[in-house]
Every structure is written in C-alpha cells, then in structure tokens.
Amino acid sequence: MATTYDPISGKLLLDWFAVLETPEGFRAELVEGELLLTPLPDGSHEHCLSLIVDQVHTRSRTRTDFSGNKGLKLGRADACPQDHVIPDGTLAPTELRLYRGADPWMPCEGVALVVEVTGTRPRTDRETKPRCYARGGVPLYLLVDREASSVTLFSDPERDEYRERCTRPFGRPITLPEPFAFDLDTGDFL
C-alpha cells in the first residue's frame, strides 16, 4: 500500500516542530517525518570537526565560511513534511555571505559542503542524512564515521541519492573537490 503525503498533517507537524522547546543539552531535527533529539556532542566528535574546519580555512582554494549546527531546510521525502536538519558543520563560499541575516532554519542553496561526525545515531548519519542532503541538492556531504574509522565523501546528488561516494580509512587523505580543491588529512582522526 502506497503512503501519500497529507499536507494538513505535514503542516501540523511542521507548526508543532517550529514551536518545540528543545530540552537543554539537546538539539531537535525533523528528518523524513521523524523527530530526532540528539544530545550535545562529546569532545572527540568536536576534535574531528575542528580538524576539518582548520584545514578548510588554511588549505582551501576558495575562502569559506563555517557554521556549526546551522539549521537547514531541505526537501521532503514521500509522505513526509519538509526536512529540517542540523549538520555538525556547514560550509559555503565567503563571497555568498550566506549566513549573514539568515533565519535559524535557512534554505540550503549556496551551501558547498555539510559535515557530519557520527555520534549517538550513526545509522542516521550513514543512511538517512545522505538522502536528505542529496534531496536538498547539497553538492558535497562529508561523513566522519568514528565507529568504522573512516571518512566518506558523497558527491553528485540526484533526487535523494548521491551518485558518487569515496571512502578512506582514517590516516589516508581524501580529496575535497572544487571549490575546496585539496586533500583532507585524516591522520589526526585516529
């Protein structure tokens, strides 16, 4: 039996989500119709994210702005309201001034790369979020999978999937294409 999207129920869920008071120490996302409450990240998580941001700012061919935990409005899966996802990191070319004056939940047009470092919901980061980011047209999704000790770059989005994926174990570099155009060193993720 096929499920159809009910715009009234979807709007009610989005309206409820918009006024949700997230418990202290958590962040809330609406991903493929499911409410996700995620605890704040641990130090190892933030260490990996910091290493990426540092390399992007010092080695990238294009100057980029970084936002941690920026709310993005993406597309919607079948029978679900619009996704509201909070990547661990969002990067966009500085010249776009994408974050200046942006609403807490902004559209993803202009975002060059989103970063997720696995935490309490690694399956969501590995399976669900690639669909969400591809559906939103985000060109690059970088997943640091701490449990698998690997880094995966998803690229070439089409509908709700990325057609290209490159995985490297920690310790081996992974190439970030334009607008970044450098090899990301993953040695310190170990």
Side-chain angles (χ1 to χ4, degrees):
M1 176 173 125
T3 306
T4 58
Y5 176 67
D6 176 7
I8 295 172
S9 296
K11 178 163 179 8
L12 289 173
L13 181 58
L14 277 174
D15 289 346
W16 174 79
F17 179 74
V19 297
L20 175 69
E21 291 189 31
T22 305
E24 187 173 335
F26 287 84
R27 65 181 186 183
E29 300 173 281
L30 187 59
V31 179
E32 294 189 347
E34 181 181 0
L35 175 64
L36 302 179
L37 285 177
T38 308
L40 296 176
D42 62 27
S44 295
H45 177 283
E46 294 302 281
H47 171 75
C48 291
L49 189 58
S50 178
L51 291 170
I52 293 167
V53 173
D54 180 60
Q55 289 184 62
V56 168
H57 282 149
T58 59
R59 302 177 66 198
S60 179
R61 180 175 293 168
T62 302
R63 284 190 57 215
T64 56
D65 289 337
F66 171 80
S67 179
N69 299 303
K70 180 70 187 118
L72 296 178
K73 288 192 265 187
L74 303 170
R76 68 175 186 84
D78 292 338
C80 297
Q82 184 179 30
D83 290 326
H84 286 66
V85 180
I86 304 172
D88 294 324
T90 304
L91 293 129
T94 299
E95 67 185 19
L96 297 178
R97 300 173 67 151
L98 204 59
Y99 307 123
R100 185 181 183 124
D103 291 330
W105 293 99
M106 69 178 214
C108 59
E109 288 79 19
V111 169
L113 171 76
V114 294
V115 179
E116 295 284 2
V117 180
T118 56
T120 58
R121 295 179 179 267
R123 184 174 176 193
T124 299
D125 294 335
R126 291 179 192 127
E127 297 173 18
T128 310
K129 287 195 174 178
R131 289 193 303 267
C132 294
Y133 295 136
R135 222 178 357 261
V138 175
L140 301 169
Y141 168 40
L142 185 68
L143 172 63
V144 179
D145 193 327
R146 295 186 296 165
E147 291 76 17
S149 296
S150 66
V151 179
T152 301
L153 181 66
F154 297 83
S155 60
D156 197 14
E158 183 177 283
R159 287 190 270 289
D160 62 354
E161 69 178 338
Y162 284 98
R163 294 185 292 186
E164 299 289 328
R165 146 185 334 203
C166 176
T167 301
R168 296 284 182 261
F170 286 175
R172 293 204 38 217
I174 191 162
T175 300
L176 297 182
E178 291 288 343
F180 307 98
F182 75 94
D183 289 343
L184 180 73
D185 180 1
T186 66
D188 286 338
F189 293 171
L190 296 169

